[in-house]
């Protein structure tokens, strides 16, 4: 898919205030620092559309970006960031869960996990929660550039094995690198296919 336009629309912490139109929407979620905002920039080929940082906790709100004037990408705050105070963590969790349970325009979530790390309890639990709430999702393994060509498939294999303890099959997944652009076409084509199906139905 060709991205001809990508524009920031709004930030807020209240799902009720998100854009009112019915355009299909795809949201990026995962632990702080996993690379959600960087991936939005990589997919749209815009260097600083979404704000990124080497320090976790950068994205703090629900951020809507409109792509090609007909669908949304949503950048969300990360979960599992230890240095955020307990009270603000609770507020985060509340509006993130409200976003996922109330946002009817959401077509699919992308749960980002760092391809270098072993499966983390917080991610597995979040995917479990999405499943229980019948919210479709794919997994995106990020920062693939940080692993060698032999280590990467081993990590993915180990992740699959862990997932198969809880899921009948491995969910749809992608492998990406925001620094090299790896995986860009796969993710964009996947979104395009769904958008086309929805437009024709
Ligand atoms: P929060 O907003 O804090 O939840 O973080 P985030 O998930 O949006 O992460 P962000 O995109 O801000 O990236 C965090 C750090 O990881 C930054 O220093 C990025 O440059 C780096 N990073 C993100 N993606 C990649 C990648 O694919 N490869 C490499 N090498 N670094 C990456
Ligand atoms: Mg971010």
């Amino acid at each position: 898919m060709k991205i001809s336009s990508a524009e920031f629309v709004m930030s807020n912490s209240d799902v009720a205030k998100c854009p009112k139109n019915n355009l299909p929407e795809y949201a990026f979620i995962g632990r702080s620092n996993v690379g959600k905002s960087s991936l939005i920039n990589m997919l749209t080929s815009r260097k600083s559309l979404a704000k990124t940082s080497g320090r976790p906790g950068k994205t703090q709100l629900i951020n809507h970006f409109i792509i090609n004037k007909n669908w949304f990408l949503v950048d969300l705050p990360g979960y599992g960031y230890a240095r955020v105070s307990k009270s603000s963590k609770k507020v985060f969790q509340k509006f993130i869960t409200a976003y996922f349970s109330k946002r009817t325009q959401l077509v699919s979530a992308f749960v980002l996990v760092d391809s270098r790390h072993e499966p983390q309890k917080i991610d597995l639990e979040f995917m479990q929660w999405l499943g229980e709430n019948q919210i479709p999702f794919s997994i995106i393994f990020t920062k693939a550039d940080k692993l060698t060509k032999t280590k990467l498939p081993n990590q993915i294999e180990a992740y699959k094995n862990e997932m198969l303890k809880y899921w009948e099959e491995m969910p749809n997944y992608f492998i990406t690198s925001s620094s090299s652009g790896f995986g860009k076409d796969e993710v964009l084509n996947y979104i395009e296919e769904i958008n086309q199906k929805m437009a024709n139905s």
Side-chain angles (χ1 to χ4, degrees):
M1 163 166 38
K2 195 178 166 288
I3 306 281
S4 44
S5 68
E7 292 154 52
F8 170 74
V9 181
M10 62 158 80
S11 293
N12 69 77
S13 61
D14 182 355
V15 62
K17 292 188 184 139
C18 289
K20 298 273 183 293
N21 48 25
N22 257 325
L23 298 176
E25 179 162 317
Y26 300 84
F28 293 76
I29 183 74
R31 280 150 55 91
S32 274
N33 213 44
V34 68
K36 301 175 292 296
S37 304
S38 303
L39 186 64
I40 289 183
N41 292 337
M42 185 273 260
L43 293 173
T44 56
S45 308
R46 307 294 192 277
K47 252 193 211 135
S48 43
L49 183 65
K51 290 188 187 128
T52 66
S53 168
R55 284 169 53 194
K58 180 71 180 173
T59 309
Q60 304 238 346
L61 295 165
I62 303 168
N63 297 283
H64 275 79
F65 300 95
I66 188 159
I67 314 299
N68 293 349
K69 308 212 185 289
N70 66 1
W71 55 281
F72 288 115
L73 277 181
V74 178
D75 193 14
L76 293 169
Y79 49 69
Y81 173 43
R83 264 180 287 175
V84 172
S85 71
K86 266 199 183 145
S87 57
S88 72
K89 227 186 222 171
K90 267 201 177 142
V91 175
F92 265 29
Q93 279 164 2
K94 246 194 177 161
F95 77 72
I96 294 175
T97 41
Y99 169 81
F100 282 104
S101 27
K102 296 193 180 141
R103 189 70 177 156
T104 49
Q105 290 90 335
L106 179 71
V107 174
S108 183
F110 290 98
V111 178
L112 276 62
V113 298
D114 190 319
S115 55
R116 296 169 298 176
H117 297 163
E118 309 307 314
Q120 309 274 309
K121 194 168 170 234
I122 194 164
D123 295 318
L124 298 172
E125 284 177 357
F126 188 74
M127 289 188 259
Q128 199 71 40
W129 182 84
L130 289 174
E132 283 160 11
N133 288 277
Q134 293 169 337
I135 299 161
F137 69 91
S138 297
I139 298 175
I140 296 189
F141 295 98
T142 65
K143 308 194 186 185
D145 56 283
K146 296 218 182 198
L147 285 173
T148 61
K149 282 209 172 91
T150 46
K151 183 90 178 143
L152 181 63
N154 292 342
Q155 285 291 107
I156 309 293
E157 205 47 43
Y159 210 98
K160 273 188 198 169
N161 290 337
E162 183 66 22
M163 287 297 286
L164 291 174
K165 291 184 188 166
Y166 317 98
W167 295 82
E168 270 175 36
E169 41 184 285
M170 176 68 180
N172 184 38
Y173 71 91
F174 301 92
I175 301 168
T176 64
S177 162
S178 294
S179 40
S180 76
F182 187 82
K184 178 178 175 175
D185 291 345
E186 285 76 7
V187 176
L188 288 179
N189 291 344
Y190 172 76
I191 292 173
E192 185 175 35
E193 255 176 48
I194 302 181
N195 285 347
Q196 277 174 355
K197 264 188 211 150
M198 288 177 60
N200 295 333
S201 67

